[in-house]
Amino acid sequence: MGLLTFSLNLTLDGCVDHQEGIADDETHAFFTRLMDEGGAMLWGRVTYEMMESYWPAVARGDAEAPPAMREWAVKLEAKPKYVVSATREDFPWTNSHHIAGDLRTGIQKLKDATPAGVLLGSGKLAAELDRLDLIDEYKFLVHPRISGHGPTLYESGLPSTRRLELVSANPLRCGAVAVHYRRAH
């Protein structure tokens, strides 16, 4: 069974707005490595639609992008992408698959079928999956910014505190820190 790893950018005050992070070659290389290590991507519908609206064009060369972003886009194009949605069933982006029905069952089947692991990149979906105790690891890129606005990580709350163990913390040149935690048992 593969691990489910929740990963995204966040500011010091917990903002997960994708426009608040530092987007440079080093941060893109960080996420490219994470994607390379995993067997599949997992998103909610809103994140999927945001990604679908930009990255396929970068992968095709239809949008201007620096080399690190283009490398990410090309690899993302080939990576299996799974989407949880109760409101949409058609996901035409290359290698995209719909997870419908019982969330716990669908995600557990995905983990079981993906020994290299699944990389989760949606905040709202992460809260739901954390409530179901399905997230195994957290790999966040914490940016040296205080945004003063939301959306924020786990703003809908959790039923109890999650105890985590630090695996690593690595500073990047831009001042962001890549942190890796796993669930404490």
Side-chain angles (χ1 to χ4, degrees):
M1 174 182 80
L3 297 177
L4 179 58
T5 301
F6 176 30
S7 182
L8 73 146
N9 292 294
L10 69 147
T11 63
L12 288 172
D13 58 344
C15 178
V16 295
D17 180 333
H18 72 279
Q19 297 177 6
E20 289 298 328
I22 299 166
D24 64 9
D25 286 353
E26 191 177 25
T27 60
H28 279 285
F30 168 80
F31 283 107
T32 300
R33 276 192 310 277
L34 282 182
M35 184 173 51
D36 285 347
E37 294 167 2
M41 306 297 288
L42 174 62
W43 299 316
R45 179 192 53 80
V46 172
T47 301
Y48 173 87
E49 289 175 350
M50 178 185 65
M51 302 294 273
E52 174 188 44
S53 72
Y54 180 69
W55 293 110
V58 174
R60 288 189 308 267
D62 295 344
E64 279 298 311
M69 288 176 67
R70 187 155 331 279
E71 179 187 6
W72 155 265
V74 168
K75 289 182 176 189
L76 181 59
E77 191 73 15
K79 187 66 73 171
K81 296 168 279 293
Y82 291 85
V83 188
V84 173
S85 177
T87 59
R88 181 175 169 183
E89 295 179 5
D90 181 39
F91 299 92
W93 184 10
T94 304
N95 224 354
S96 294
H97 312 276
H98 184 211
I99 294 179
D102 180 68
L103 187 58
R104 179 186 304 277
T105 302
I107 299 305
Q108 192 59 58
K109 279 183 181 178
L110 177 60
K111 287 172 68 172
D112 291 345
T114 315
V118 178
L119 190 61
L120 165 64
S122 293
K124 287 181 182 176
L125 180 57
E128 292 302 314
L129 297 179
D130 225 331
R131 286 185 192 98
L132 296 172
D133 289 323
L134 289 168
I135 298 177
D136 303 296
E137 294 186 326
Y138 304 79
K139 294 183 179 180
F140 296 135
L141 197 53
V142 183
H143 294 264
R145 296 187 172 167
I146 296 173
S147 68
H149 67 83
T152 58
L153 191 63
Y154 293 111
E155 64 186 23
S156 63
L158 290 174
S160 62
T161 300
R162 298 290 183 248
R163 290 182 17 88
L164 306 175
E165 297 172 351
L166 179 66
V167 176
S168 65
N170 299 304
L172 278 60
R173 287 185 307 277
C174 67
V177 178
V179 294
H180 177 186
Y181 291 95
R182 74 172 49 106
R183 295 281 299 263
H185 295 289

